[in-house]
Amino acid sequence: MSRMPKPHRDRPAKRKVNLLRANNITEVDWKNVDLLRKFVSDRGKIRARRVTGLTPQQQKQVATAIKNAREMALLPYPSAGRAS
């Protein structure tokens, strides 16, 4: 059984832009809802580091800020899927 070759990419993968570094933000505040919404999916889940392009320390700050904003009812909790 032979393996299929991986598809060839025409161009190199685009580097993720670190949104916090681009905006020169050092501390993430839970009250900055406009910024935090960029790190939350439409279903209310926190986006992964590989998607956001943040450093591990920044991702931890963002996750903590999102959780605090959820407690203060500024951001939604993840929506549960439909049970069929």
Side-chain angles (χ1 to χ4, degrees):
M1 202 161 130
S2 65
R3 298 179 117 191
M4 296 291 293
K6 290 185 179 181
H8 176 65
R9 286 192 170 203
D10 294 337
R11 57 186 174 196
K14 187 175 176 184
R15 184 81 178 137
K16 300 284 186 290
V17 177
N18 186 329
L19 197 61
L20 298 181
R21 190 174 295 146
N23 293 331
N24 204 15
I25 298 172
T26 55
E27 292 292 319
V28 181
D29 190 17
W30 60 267
K31 292 173 279 214
N32 191 350
V33 180
D34 294 330
L35 175 69
L36 294 179
R37 283 195 189 277
K38 296 175 183 173
F39 298 106
V40 178
S41 71
D42 57 339
R43 294 185 176 256
K45 293 185 175 185
I46 300 173
R47 295 191 192 276
R49 248 190 74 214
R50 59 184 166 79
V51 176
T52 61
L54 299 177
T55 65
Q57 293 83 9
Q58 290 171 331
Q59 183 71 18
K60 180 80 172 164
Q61 275 188 346
V62 166
T64 303
I66 289 172
K67 290 173 186 178
N68 287 339
R70 284 176 177 164
E71 283 290 315
M72 299 297 165
L74 298 175
L75 287 175
Y77 281 95
S79 60
R82 289 184 49 183
S84 335

